[in-house]
Amino acid sequence: MALKVTDRYLSQFVSEHEYKGIQPAVTAAHELLSSKTGLGNDFLGWASLPGDYDKEEFARIKAAAERIKKNSEVFIVIGIGGSYLGARAAIEALRSSLYNSMKKDTPEIYFIGNTISPTYLNDVISLVEGRDFSVNIISKSGTTTEPALAFRVFRELLEKKYGADGAKERIFATTDARRGTLKELSDKNGYETFVIPDNVGGRFSVLTAVGLLPIAVAGCDIDAVMNGAKAAMDGLNDPDINKNDCYKYAALRNILYRKGRVVEMLVAYEPSFAMMNEWFKQLYGESEGKDGKGLFPSSAVFSTDLHSLGQFIQDGSNILFETVVQFEKSQKDFYIEKLESNGDGLNFLAEQNMSVVNRKAFEGTVLAHTEGGTPNIVLEAPELNEFELGYMIYFFEKACAISGYMLGVNPFDQPGVESYKKNMFALLGKPGYEDRKAELEARLN
Ligand code: PA5
């Protein structure tokens, strides 16, 4: 159980006194978080969620997922940012990046409303033609343009196919408990609703109905996910970085940042982790990247990206460090048979599991990259299952909060995301944005 930080590959990059010297900053961040006196302290709901989530709603999520599994061949999940990434990341990590193409007894799941591409929308519309489907619209504010537009289209499709009464049985809205257009629409039309608590921000919401309903529809055990998160919540409280791997990770990445490593690349050797990388990038990018500060979160899947980014990591500008997530046990394995002919010369790989070859790729890479001057933090997890994923989600969330406080920023707001939205609304002629529209058009022309 648990996620352990290996600092074995950091000795040439982080000295003992630097490591000791960061402890007071970690302790101060811990105090801010645990006493709820830090910036953004009205958004700390995620921290206690694994212990005090709404059990009645949790049961309704499981019941809704069972109904969807029975009556739908396709499940459409509409949302963007924090209302999208966690669910998709967990499903791909737990089931497969090839989930939709696999033989399975659960619905295909497509994520829309995370782009304004008409091409993508048309493609998904064609995928539901002639098939039974249900929709989960997820939006905390209930007004975000991308999901609202996609929902308008899919609500129409459902109503045309099943009639208003049939459609309402197939629409599930995850939104604010009281406010917003989506909440009003849901109450008016009788959709089943699930709540994104006021004190849980979008990027910290995967362990609410935001993530849990789609994850359950994909056939994953959401009890185990919550149990894993609870184990992390109970076990990651010691301020001492030698006794708390979550804080140790936050400490190490902060030391490296202070030394000019301004890019963190999250790396895994499993393609199914690619969307977890995306979830991580939002979590850390939106939490830390403000006031002219913050690590730039990037990601890679190895060994795939060793053949594209490997050169830069090995030999390019010294701006980055890697955080490698390694799993002791592979979800599935493949035994490589010895061939008498050995025409391809690959018998040196034979008579062992492919996971061993993958592990050797990791070992060879970590040694090469550190030798080339790129620090590597390694996070070792036993395996990628529901429990461990829940643990990992909480681990990253808490390390993110601590990291933000160490930087002196508010880890729970995202003022920068608003700028593009205001410009887009103005350019599209949304009422109330007239002055901005004139000013922007003058700049464009
Ligand atoms: O983390 C965040 O707050 C954002 O990424 C939001 O989740 C995203 O903008 C979607 O917002 P909403 O759920 O209000 O539609």
Side-chain angles (χ1 to χ4, degrees):
M1 166 170 120
L3 195 60
K4 293 276 162 223
V5 176
T6 303
D7 52 11
R8 186 178 322 137
Y9 309 105
L10 280 173
S11 51
Q12 78 216 64
F13 304 102
V14 177
S15 67
E16 254 178 59
H17 70 265
E18 283 175 298
Y19 184 66
K20 265 196 194 146
I22 201 80
Q23 180 65 63
V26 175
T27 306
H30 168 80
E31 283 306 317
L32 288 174
L33 188 60
S34 48
S35 64
K36 300 188 176 177
T37 52
L39 292 169
N41 58 30
D42 43 350
F43 279 97
L44 294 179
W46 60 271
S48 53
L49 204 54
D52 66 11
Y53 61 89
D54 179 341
K55 309 288 183 305
E56 181 274 328
E57 181 181 73
F58 195 79
R60 274 199 305 118
I61 290 172
K62 289 205 275 188
E66 285 313 310
R67 287 203 305 281
I68 295 163
K69 283 198 268 182
K70 282 206 185 86
N71 72 10
S72 304
E73 296 162 88
V74 181
F75 185 48
I76 300 292
V77 182
I78 306 177
I80 194 166
S83 294
Y84 152 61
L85 287 163
R88 182 163 173 196
I91 291 168
E92 293 199 8
L94 293 172
R95 299 283 327 251
S96 169
S97 53
L98 300 174
Y99 171 79
N100 279 337
S101 326
M102 281 166 41
K103 252 199 191 157
K104 59 190 168 306
D105 53 9
T106 49
E108 284 172 25
I109 301 180
Y110 296 100
F111 292 88
I112 64 167
N114 54 68
T115 156
I116 317 174
S117 160
T119 308
Y120 189 80
L121 185 70
N122 272 301
D123 289 346
V124 180
I125 290 172
S126 69
L127 285 166
V128 299
E129 260 165 29
R131 303 172 83 190
D132 282 315
F133 68 102
S134 301
V135 166
N136 182 198
I137 164 75
I138 308 172
S139 179
K140 188 172 185 193
S141 63
T143 52
T144 309
T145 311
E146 293 90 333
L149 190 54
F151 182 48
R152 171 187 274 216
V153 174
F154 271 75
R155 201 171 60 232
E156 288 280 307
L157 286 177
L158 279 171
E159 286 177 2
K160 266 198 201 124
K161 188 175 168 85
Y162 299 102
D165 281 348
K168 85 170 199 243
E169 300 302 321
R170 291 174 174 271
I171 295 176
F172 301 85
T174 307
T175 188
D176 189 273
R178 285 170 295 276
R179 291 175 295 267
T181 315
L182 180 56
K183 175 67 182 154
E184 284 162 27
L185 204 61
S186 304
D187 289 346
K188 190 171 140 230
N189 293 320
Y191 307 148
E192 177 158 12
T193 56
F194 299 104
V195 170
I196 312 176
D198 282 346
N199 59 357
V200 179
R203 59 188 174 277
F204 287 84
S205 70
V206 56
L207 298 176
T208 70
V210 169
L212 295 175
L213 178 60
I215 295 170
V217 172
C220 306
D221 177 355
I222 58 173
D223 284 292
V225 172
M226 293 309 278
N227 289 341
K230 171 90 167 41
M233 183 183 91
D234 293 341
L236 299 172
N237 289 312
D238 198 317
D240 185 341
I241 54 177
N242 290 311
K243 296 184 183 148
N244 183 338
D245 280 64
C246 173
Y247 287 11
K248 183 174 180 175
Y249 166 56
L252 290 170
R253 62 194 296 285
N254 190 270
I255 293 171
L256 293 168
Y257 172 67
R258 291 178 192 209
K259 297 172 83 143
R261 303 289 172 156
V262 293
V263 178
E264 176 176 20
M265 182 175 278
L266 192 72
V267 172
Y269 283 71
E270 289 293 341
S272 66
F273 205 79
M275 285 306 298
M276 278 298 287
N277 283 347
E278 299 306 312
W279 171 81
F280 166 91
K281 276 149 68 173
Q282 186 202 359
L283 181 63
Y284 281 76
E286 271 190 5
S287 300
E288 289 191 297
K290 48 197 72 156
D291 306 330
K293 294 184 274 193
L295 272 158
F296 181 79
S298 71
S299 67
V301 173
F302 288 173
S303 65
T304 316
D305 296 331
L306 287 172
H307 297 258
S308 55
L309 296 169
Q311 170 62 36
F312 189 103
I313 301 166
Q314 181 73 38
D315 212 15
S317 321
N318 285 329
I319 54 169
L320 63 89
F321 69 90
E322 290 164 278
T323 296
V324 184
V325 181
Q326 257 304 99
F327 299 98
E328 241 164 70
K329 189 169 162 250
S330 192
Q331 285 163 310
K332 295 173 187 160
D333 221 326
F334 186 88
Y335 185 76
I336 307 168
E337 300 283 355
K338 189 173 173 182
L339 295 182
E340 280 314 314
S341 61
N342 197 26
D344 54 11
L346 287 180
N347 270 354
F348 75 100
L349 297 176
E351 296 181 308
Q352 61 185 348
N353 284 325
M354 201 152 153
S355 59
V356 177
V357 181
N358 208 14
R359 176 92 202 173
K360 294 295 166 203
F362 153 69
E363 289 170 359
T365 304
V366 77
L367 294 176
H369 286 182
T370 48
E371 202 178 10
T374 301
N376 269 240
I377 300 173
V378 179
L379 304 179
E380 299 253 21
E383 59 187 306
L384 193 39
N385 59 22
E386 280 92 340
F387 183 92
E388 298 301 340
L389 189 83
Y391 190 100
M392 185 180 290
I393 286 169
Y394 193 92
F395 179 105
F396 276 129
E397 288 179 347
K398 190 159 192 186
C400 180
I402 293 293
S403 296
Y405 283 152
M406 288 173 81
L407 267 186
V409 299
N410 177 351
F412 306 111
D413 66 359
Q414 55 284 328
V417 182
E418 293 310 308
S419 305
Y420 101 89
K421 287 188 192 169
K422 285 183 191 146
N423 284 354
M424 189 175 77
F425 288 152
L427 291 169
L428 286 166
K430 187 170 178 171
Y433 290 82
E434 292 78 6
D435 290 351
R436 199 180 185 102
K437 182 176 196 294
E439 185 237 322
L440 292 176
E441 283 181 346
R443 278 165 59 195
L444 283 170
N445 296 319

